[in-house]
Amino acid sequence: MTKNEARQKIIALRDELEEHNYKYYVLSRPEISDFDFDMKMKELEKLEKEFPEFYDPDSPSQRVGSDLTKEFAQVKHERPMLSLSNVYSEQELVDFDQRVRKLLETGFKYVCELKFDGVSISMIYEGGKLERAVTRGDGEKGDNVTTNVRTIRAVPLKLRGSGFPARFEVRGEIMLPFNVFNEINKERVKAGEMPFANPRNAASGTLKMQDPSIVASRKLDAYLYYMLGEGLPSDSHYENMQKAKEWGF
């Protein structure tokens, strides 16, 4: 195989695997078996090893890292990442609505979404690629966990389609689905280890692990709910979320 043939094959495999990742982890509509996916991944890894000059950090093969992170660097948020407020009664909800109506001079609509109990994350995309992922931390700065977040298959490393801003931020929750949580705890008990107390703590502990390959094996998931930045598609939160879905979130 010539270098040019290898390059074309590597590009084709990367594109195909990313497409299958998207359909499996985002749309929940897989088109090939796990075995066929693994075989294509092995073929890609073999070619990348034979032709290291075509290395690309955004390749699907790089989602499962092997480099150990000695510590997590502290990163200042571009915009403060504040905590969300709770309400515990109907009256508190009514009071909130009244405050909003006093602050806004125009009409508005509410967008209601499920609140997943996970780890808050801020992700910066530049040029359509994931540049950085940072935990909420103290709201002003957080831990740079980009290497670990790159292993989460529901998080696009490269955006799909077009029309996204040159640089923007997406916020959401990194979480551990109950079925995965239960399987992990079964394995921990078999190994004589203490089971995790709950999915939220398990997700938090996993995201802070120093070995990305272990993080990848835990099968974390992500739910994104907020977009910030200049040049967003719309002033409407709902419309921005629909665009985010088109881009692969």
Side-chain angles (χ1 to χ4, degrees):
M1 180 180 290
T2 66
K3 280 192 176 183
N4 186 57
E5 290 173 338
R7 178 177 176 275
Q8 294 301 320
K9 183 63 175 178
I10 287 172
I11 291 174
L13 283 168
R14 285 171 178 167
D15 289 344
E16 184 179 2
L17 287 167
E18 279 297 341
E19 183 70 14
H20 287 306
N21 268 335
Y22 173 72
K23 290 177 178 176
Y24 186 96
Y25 291 99
V26 178
L27 301 182
S28 297
R29 294 200 299 265
E31 290 187 345
I32 63 174
S33 67
D34 289 349
F35 175 81
D36 288 338
F37 182 93
D38 290 342
M39 291 302 99
K40 290 180 183 296
M41 181 65 78
K42 287 183 182 297
E43 183 181 3
L44 174 60
E45 291 172 343
K46 181 174 181 292
L47 285 171
E48 288 178 336
K49 185 176 181 180
E50 291 177 359
F51 298 90
E53 59 268 38
F54 300 132
Y55 168 79
D56 185 345
D58 294 320
S59 171
S61 66
Q62 299 303 305
R63 284 188 181 270
V64 182
S66 59
D67 295 337
L68 291 179
T69 304
K70 300 302 181 184
E71 59 183 10
F72 294 103
Q74 294 279 303
V75 177
K76 182 177 175 61
H77 290 297
E78 295 185 3
R79 304 167 187 82
M81 198 169 180
L82 306 177
S83 59
L84 301 177
S85 297
N86 297 324
V87 295
Y88 297 98
S89 69
E90 181 179 346
Q91 186 57 50
E92 287 179 307
L93 189 59
V94 170
D95 292 342
F96 167 77
D97 176 69
Q98 291 176 347
R99 291 196 300 272
V100 172
R101 292 180 187 279
K102 288 180 180 179
L103 288 171
L104 298 180
E105 298 178 354
T106 59
F108 63 90
K109 294 181 180 179
Y110 286 111
V111 176
C112 298
E113 302 170 345
L114 294 174
K115 172 63 172 71
F116 291 99
D117 192 17
V119 181
S120 296
I121 198 75
S122 163
M123 298 187 295
I124 301 293
Y125 281 81
E126 186 163 6
K129 294 184 178 182
L130 175 63
E131 178 191 89
R132 190 177 73 199
V134 181
T135 62
R136 178 180 176 273
D138 62 5
E140 293 294 330
K141 60 182 181 300
D143 290 329
N144 187 336
V145 291
T146 308
T147 302
N148 285 345
V149 169
R150 289 174 66 87
T151 71
I152 302 172
R153 295 180 184 263
V155 174
L157 302 182
K158 293 190 296 184
L159 300 183
R160 302 166 61 85
S162 60
F164 38 79
R167 180 182 175 86
F168 68 101
E169 178 181 0
V170 176
R171 292 179 178 179
E173 295 283 311
I174 302 298
M175 58 191 180
L176 192 66
F178 274 110
N179 62 327
V180 179
F181 170 75
N182 291 332
E183 287 299 318
I184 290 175
N185 269 350
K186 285 181 183 178
E187 294 300 320
R188 290 180 68 85
V189 170
K190 286 182 182 178
E193 299 174 336
M194 285 289 292
F196 289 117
N198 55 62
R200 196 271 172 199
N201 286 353
S204 178
T206 298
L207 199 59
K208 294 295 186 70
M209 297 188 76
Q210 294 185 354
D211 187 346
S213 64
I214 298 178
V215 178
S217 72
R218 294 281 177 84
K219 300 179 181 178
L220 293 172
D221 204 345
Y223 181 84
L224 293 313
Y225 57 77
Y226 192 31
M227 189 190 304
L228 306 93
E230 301 294 330
L232 297 182
S234 172
D235 291 332
S236 163
H237 168 74
Y238 179 79
E239 291 180 10
N240 283 336
M241 291 298 94
Q242 296 308 300
K243 277 295 182 182
K245 187 175 182 180
E246 293 178 12
W247 299 337
F249 293 104

